[in-house]
Amino acid sequence: QSALTQSASVSGSPGQSITISCTGTSSDVGSYNLVSWYQQHPGKAPELIIYEVSNRPSGVSNRFSASKSGNTASLTISGLQAEDEADYYCCSHAGSYNWVFGGGTKLTVL
Amino acid sequence: EEQLVESGGGLVQSGGSLRVSCAASGFIFSSHSVNWVRQAPGRGLEWVSYISATGSRVSYADSVKGRFTISRDNAKNSLYLQMDSLRDEDTAVYYCARTVKYAFDLWGQGTLVTVSS
């Protein structure tokens, strides 16, 4: 159950787009279309922003989009806003009702 | 309003035990599987344990297998995590989280467990 690999940090200016990648293995990301993404602001609980690779829950901005290719999933945030500054975590089902998270990516809006 | 509220965190000595709880409201608790996810100070999220809607199926991360026990009481709309043989590395905020479509769609505010040697 090794953690998924995410870059530690990413930054962008307001209005720009950024992409966060999440690399797993053929036992997790590569095997299941069950990747989810979470946004976490400091001192707050995580919030679900993407499920089943690319689906947005009701109420989540369409500036958030995601995809998967092979063992790597990606989250793109377009039209960056100050409120997007947060930590982002990917997560994948890994079989037998087990899950694995990525190490997290800190997004800084310049 | 759908809500999960954790309680029971605190300071415990290494090797000791603690039980944390999660109270659900605003939705049909018995229809959903739920999980515990933890976050060590300044670190990332780690999935800890899963329990099915009826409680018939459970699973654990390797890091806690054999030491932690997840359970639920659907009559009380409550989820529990019994933590035994606690180690320093178990120090974390423990969140309960509801599962929908293999994602965690509803989270509590967390309860801090501190293990001190």
Side-chain angles (χ1 to χ4, degrees):
Chain A
Q1 293 180 341
S2 298
L4 307 178
T5 300
Q6 296 181 238
S7 52
S9 63
V10 66
S11 62
S13 299
Q16 289 185 332
S17 295
I18 62 95
T19 296
I20 299 170
S21 64
C22 168
T23 301
T25 70
S26 57
S27 296
D28 38 62
V29 175
S31 284
Y32 306 96
N33 289 323
L34 297 173
V35 177
S36 51
W37 290 88
Y38 302 85
Q39 178 190 63
Q40 186 180 35
H41 289 105
K44 301 294 187 181
E47 293 185 8
L48 177 66
I49 56 173
I50 296 288
Y51 67 96
E52 291 179 330
V53 174
S54 60
N55 294 319
R56 284 188 310 275
S58 174
V60 173
S61 171
N62 60 9
R63 297 186 299 104
F64 293 91
S65 62
S67 62
K68 189 191 88 166
S69 177
N71 296 338
T72 299
S74 299
L75 172 72
T76 297
I77 309 173
S78 59
L80 271 178
Q81 300 179 1
E83 67 207 47
D84 298 332
E85 186 162 294
D87 293 327
Y88 291 85
Y89 294 91
C90 61
C91 181
S92 176
H93 186 64
S96 301
Y97 298 97
N98 284 256
W99 282 262
V100 59
F101 279 93
T105 298
K106 181 178 181 60
L107 169 61
T108 301
V109 180
L110 302 171
Chain B
E1 179 191 5
E2 298 180 332
Q3 198 171 9
L4 296 169
V5 178
E6 300 91 339
S7 61
L11 178 64
V12 60
Q13 284 195 327
S14 181
S17 298
L18 193 68
R19 188 178 87 155
V20 292
S21 303
C22 172
S25 61
F27 65 98
I28 303 173
F29 181 67
S30 59
S31 295
H32 293 272
S33 59
V34 280
N35 304 261
W36 288 99
V37 177
R38 68 184 179 183
Q39 186 170 34
R43 305 295 293 273
L45 300 171
E46 179 187 16
W47 171 79
V48 173
S49 184
Y50 159 94
I51 188 167
S52 63
T54 62
S56 62
R57 177 156 195 154
V58 299
S59 58
Y60 299 94
D62 288 345
S63 58
V64 306
K65 200 172 294 182
R67 300 187 299 121
F68 289 13
T69 303
I70 191 171
S71 62
R72 65 189 295 163
D73 185 336
N74 285 343
K76 295 183 177 180
N77 291 331
S78 292
L79 172 70
Y80 308 101
L81 186 68
Q82 176 67 40
M83 301 182 288
D84 298 320
S85 302
L86 281 161
R87 306 168 180 166
D88 291 357
E89 56 264 35
D90 295 319
T91 294
V93 173
Y94 284 75
Y95 295 100
C96 57
R98 184 177 71 180
T99 330
V100 170
K101 296 186 177 181
Y102 292 87
F104 309 122
D105 76 318
L106 179 67
W107 297 66
Q109 86 290 347
T111 187
L112 176 62
V113 173
T114 303
V115 183
S116 173
S117 54

